[in-house]
Amino acid sequence: MKHKHSFHIPVMGIGFTIDTPLKVAQYGIDSVISLVDDILLERLRKMYCEKFEMPYTEITNKVNDFRSKRITSYLNLMNDLVDEKFESLKSISQDKVEDIKAYLNMLPNGEKLKEEFFKLTEKGFHTSEIKNWSFKNLKKGSIDVNIMTKVDKDNYIKSEKLPTEYNDAHAALRGFATSNLNASVILSAGLNPRLFSYMAQFDDFYPDLNGVFKKRIILKVSDYRSALIQGKFLAKKGLWVSEYRIESGLNCGGHAFATEGYLLGPVLAEFKENREALRSTIQELLNKELENTGRVIPKEHLKLEISAQGGVGTHEEHEFLIDEYALDSVGWGSPFLLVPEATTVDNDTLKKLTKAKEEDLYLSNISPLGVPFNNLKSNTKDTEKEGFIAKGRPGSSCPKKFVALNKEFTEKGACTASRKYQNLKINELKSKDLTNEEYQAQLNDITEKSCTCVGLGTSALLAHGLDTKVEGSGVSICPGPNMAYYSNVMSLKNITDHIYGRDNMISRTDRPNMFIKELNIYTDFLKNRIENVRHTFNKKEERYLKTFSNNMQSGIEYYKQLFSNVNSLLEEVKVSALKELERSETTLKQIQIRINNLSLAQ
């Protein structure tokens, strides 16, 4: 499917893009729905069925396989509603001309459709001719979904553990696979062998003779090696990865995976250099498995797309990424949180985001998954959490249990942000012979965890005026560092014009280039890591830190060459970028000396 836009809207949180396709797909824009929270999806399905006067039958938790069925029903509803809006757009009438113009005006510069439409309409409005043209040329955006592969909790009926296919990620995958969508599933957070093997059960993931898929697989990765390993694993199951979606390890929203110091630019260069080798190597494995299982083998090379996301913020950066690395699409995430026509954010949170500066956006340890998590200071979910701590009742009541994955104290698993887990952990802490300083530090580590699986969905309930009695009104929000440079609520036209260079939505003049920003974030991460492990430094940590810093050094060398030979797209930032790289290199050398000193002191 050819993309009409050179950008896509990635998944954000649990609820912020939960109904984004209904807002933007009719304009040809691809977006992604999170499948974490089937309870939230069911509540929104009820709301939209009532709004559009469609029949609704509740899928309660007494229904067999309710999680999967809720997800299928919600995705089918989104598909039907998007199709209805899009067909209405194409079924030209005089009152729909402005909608067609809005569609065309959002397209990238140089798009031939704009010129064609102008020629069709300059001598008058011929309905049948324009209708034929619309059906032939206009394409809707894809309704894609995201599954965090490791959020795959076991499920039970009373004390009876259900089979693996009823695990959360498995059920979510089944919900997508059995839906009516012709779309992609984005698999994030790494390899889950059981889940990847389970995908092979669904026919929609296999190509036809012409290499066309009903359901496509996208892997979100941070480095080439991970992409190759996962791509090969899936190919040996007969499954093809249609797109590798490369995300900056740290200059992104939501969970941040720092890898081993791999910077985005060199990673993109490696994909560009090895793109055909990646495609041919994996298709060879795929074809063997398709032959072994008696499935159709495509008669031509399968298409492989490469996209990137994380920290992009200007038209120049957008175009540079596409031109330099031959990308098929660039993801724009955090800025879209300020676009109510695209995302679902409650008004109070929207105001906080417009005021957020660099110091308000930080990499936190609040996620129950134990992965660094981009956070906004003074978000209402953290305020709620601190209130519980002040009352001597730390932890959440854990109403949804989607990340109840810790089996330290219970076979069924508990969330590390839950009151149950934190009480057990604090009691264990009290039994240790610790100094006041050690006790307080470890206590803070325990109580810092926040109920994000609820908090990241609550904004959607508030924005739609739905009841939050069970969830509470606290909102978690996870913008990337790029949010600091956007200060106004924007329309969909504003942001698309910004992306394509027809307007500028950044009022500040001090925004660093995205590569330089990421480099600075990685430097800070490395400094903090050294500070945190200096008392427990060992050979394993030494290897990690040296590998991390060496990869960063290689990244700096790559950027020095890149900016020295830069084309006109980044010419304006060339001088400042090269100065920043010199400073970063000096800082990194000091860090490497410190690592060596820690090694000698062992």
Side-chain angles (χ1 to χ4, degrees):
M1 184 180 71
K2 190 176 184 306
H3 304 283
K4 282 299 176 189
H5 286 274
S6 58
F7 74 90
H8 60 269
I9 303 175
V11 68
M12 285 184 274
I14 289 173
F16 304 115
T17 55
I18 198 162
D19 49 3
T20 292
L22 189 54
K23 301 180 179 188
V24 304
Q26 73 265 31
Y27 299 116
I29 299 171
D30 298 346
S31 59
V32 187
I33 296 171
S34 167
L35 298 187
V36 167
D37 190 344
D38 60 288
I39 301 167
L40 181 63
L41 294 172
E42 180 66 10
R43 292 190 65 186
L44 261 68
R45 184 172 74 92
K46 181 176 187 289
M47 181 200 76
Y48 275 119
C49 284
E50 289 172 354
K51 180 177 179 179
F52 292 104
E53 298 180 343
M54 300 170 75
Y56 168 78
T57 303
E58 183 183 4
I59 301 171
T60 71
N61 58 10
K62 293 184 173 65
V63 172
N64 179 50
D65 198 20
F66 63 86
R67 176 171 167 81
S68 169
K69 288 174 180 172
R70 284 172 176 171
I71 288 168
T72 301
S73 297
Y74 182 79
L75 295 178
N76 286 347
L77 175 66
M78 284 289 111
N79 194 41
D80 291 344
L81 292 175
V82 165
D83 277 351
E84 191 175 311
K85 289 179 84 167
F86 188 58
E87 292 306 312
S88 174
L89 180 77
K90 291 190 298 179
S91 300
I92 297 295
S93 59
Q94 192 71 47
D95 64 329
K96 287 291 179 184
V97 174
E98 291 307 311
D99 289 339
I100 291 282
K101 286 180 179 176
Y103 181 108
L104 296 173
N105 286 335
M106 286 187 204
L107 293 175
N109 300 334
E111 173 57 61
K112 290 180 182 178
L113 290 186
K114 296 180 184 181
E115 189 180 332
E116 288 177 12
F117 184 77
F118 177 73
K119 284 180 180 177
L120 275 177
T121 56
E122 64 181 343
K123 293 177 182 177
F125 188 84
H126 304 288
T127 303
S128 60
E129 194 177 352
I130 296 174
K131 187 181 289 187
N132 290 336
W133 177 87
S134 297
F135 273 86
K136 182 181 175 183
N137 291 288
L138 302 187
K139 298 283 189 295
K140 68 176 181 177
S142 187
I143 306 171
D144 297 329
V145 304
N146 186 86
I147 294 175
M148 284 190 74
T149 57
K150 301 295 174 62
V151 182
D152 198 22
K153 172 178 61 67
D154 297 329
N155 284 308
Y156 292 76
I157 293 179
K158 295 182 179 177
S159 59
E160 181 191 351
K161 186 177 176 181
L162 294 173
T164 304
E165 59 263 32
Y166 290 94
N167 285 13
D168 278 1
H170 284 68
L173 177 69
R174 182 165 59 258
F176 168 70
T178 55
S179 74
N180 298 332
L181 291 181
N182 181 339
S184 300
V185 57
I186 295 97
L187 301 169
S188 62
L191 178 64
N192 178 337
R194 289 192 306 183
L195 181 69
F196 286 13
S197 300
Y198 180 61
M199 294 182 78
Q201 293 188 20
F202 300 99
D203 290 342
D204 278 8
F205 289 115
Y206 292 92
D208 64 15
L209 192 61
N210 296 314
V212 176
F213 297 80
K214 176 84 183 290
K215 304 272 194 311
R216 292 167 294 282
I217 298 169
I218 296 175
L219 279 185
K220 190 192 287 187
V221 293
S222 296
D223 63 87
Y224 181 79
R225 180 174 172 272
S226 171
L228 185 60
I229 290 169
Q230 293 183 72
K232 283 182 173 181
F233 185 96
L234 285 162
K236 289 173 183 176
K237 305 294 178 186
L239 299 168
W240 176 252
V241 177
S242 295
E243 178 185 331
Y244 292 88
R245 187 161 288 184
I246 305 151
E247 184 170 65
S248 166
L250 292 178
N251 192 19
C252 60
H255 287 95
F257 299 87
T259 63
E260 292 184 319
Y262 296 115
L263 302 177
L264 184 61
V267 171
L268 291 174
E270 189 174 8
F271 271 91
K272 179 185 178 182
E273 183 181 344
N274 295 299
R275 184 171 184 160
E276 178 52 29
L278 177 69
R279 192 207 60 73
S280 59
T281 300
I282 292 179
Q283 185 161 359
E284 187 179 341
L285 289 173
L286 177 87
N287 287 352
K288 283 180 184 175
E289 180 59 22
L290 293 176
E291 184 178 8
N292 290 340
T293 53
R295 286 189 176 270
V296 172
I297 299 174
K299 60 184 179 182
E300 295 180 1
H301 291 334
L302 287 173
K303 188 176 181 184
L304 184 151
E305 294 191 344
I306 306 289
S307 64
Q309 59 196 42
V312 62
T314 67
H315 166 66
E316 290 75 19
E317 290 174 352
H318 179 86
E319 291 299 315
F320 179 81
L321 290 175
I322 290 169
D323 293 350
E324 178 68 20
Y325 303 109
L327 298 181
D328 296 282
S329 182
V330 174
W332 282 68
S334 296
F336 270 97
L337 290 171
L338 296 178
V339 184
E341 288 178 61
T343 54
T344 303
V345 183
D346 64 282
N347 286 331
D348 286 346
T349 305
L350 203 56
K351 288 174 186 173
K352 288 180 188 293
L353 291 173
T354 61
K355 295 173 183 176
K357 300 292 184 276
E358 287 92 340
E359 60 272 18
D360 301 312
L361 302 158
Y362 71 107
L363 200 59
S364 74
N365 293 313
I366 69 165
S367 171
L369 294 177
V371 178
F373 185 79
N374 281 292
N375 200 19
L376 173 68
K377 284 181 183 173
S378 76
N379 70 79
T380 51
K381 195 65 181 174
D382 279 357
T383 303
E384 177 187 277
K385 175 188 72 178
E386 286 152 14
F388 290 144
I389 294 169
K391 291 176 182 175
R393 299 178 68 245
S396 162
S397 61
C398 199
K400 295 189 174 179
K401 297 180 171 57
F402 293 123
V403 287
L405 302 169
N406 184 288
K407 297 190 175 180
E408 203 174 336
F409 299 110
T410 171
E411 185 191 340
K412 284 189 178 181
C415 175
T416 57
S418 70
R419 187 163 296 136
K420 177 183 178 181
Y421 174 85
Q422 292 191 7
N423 283 340
L424 290 167
K425 199 69 180 169
I426 291 167
N427 287 334
E428 181 185 77
L429 193 63
K430 287 174 180 175
S431 67
K432 295 180 179 179
D433 187 19
L434 301 173
T435 65
N436 285 339
E437 186 181 351
E438 289 170 336
Y439 177 83
Q440 197 57 50
Q442 291 188 36
L443 178 66
N444 290 342
D445 286 344
I446 295 166
T447 58
E448 187 177 11
K449 303 304 178 195
S450 181
C451 183
T452 52
C453 79
V454 169
L456 290 171
T458 304
S459 188
L461 296 174
L462 294 170
H464 285 300
L466 299 176
D467 176 59
T468 60
K469 186 167 58 178
V470 173
E471 296 83 359
S473 58
V475 172
S476 303
I477 184 83
C478 50
N482 207 20
M483 179 56 73
Y485 308 105
Y486 295 85
S487 305
N488 297 301
V489 174
M490 297 175 277
S491 68
L492 191 55
K493 184 179 186 303
N494 288 154
I495 190 67
T496 51
D497 283 350
H498 176 76
I499 292 168
Y500 294 133
R502 300 185 289 254
D503 202 348
N504 177 29
M505 292 292 107
I506 299 176
S507 54
R508 291 173 58 171
T509 57
D510 61 342
R511 180 187 176 277
N513 169 265
M514 61 179 288
F515 290 149
I516 300 300
K517 179 70 174 180
E518 186 200 47
L519 175 59
N520 292 338
I521 295 169
Y522 266 86
T523 302
D524 289 341
F525 179 87
L526 185 56
K527 285 179 183 174
N528 290 335
R529 177 76 177 231
I530 292 169
E531 187 61 30
N532 290 337
V533 301
R534 61 193 174 91
H535 295 305
T536 56
F537 196 77
N538 55 37
K539 285 290 182 186
K540 182 181 177 183
E541 197 62 46
E542 178 188 355
R543 281 193 300 272
Y544 175 79
L545 292 174
K546 284 185 174 178
T547 301
F548 196 105
S549 61
N550 288 339
N551 286 335
M552 282 186 64
Q553 181 63 51
S554 298
I556 290 172
E557 291 299 327
Y558 168 83
Y559 285 142
K560 284 165 72 174
Q561 187 174 359
L562 179 74
F563 281 103
S564 294
N565 303 318
V566 80
N567 65 15
S568 57
L569 278 169
L570 295 183
E571 193 68 45
E572 286 186 19
V573 300
K574 176 177 178 176
V575 174
S576 62
L578 287 170
K579 284 181 181 176
E580 281 290 337
L581 288 169
E582 292 293 338
R583 278 196 287 270
S584 294
E585 192 165 35
T586 301
T587 302
L588 186 61
K589 283 176 181 174
Q590 293 168 348
I591 291 171
Q592 288 171 327
I593 289 170
R594 186 161 189 215
I595 294 169
N596 287 331
N597 289 339
L598 285 169
S599 301
L600 292 170
Q602 279 188 92

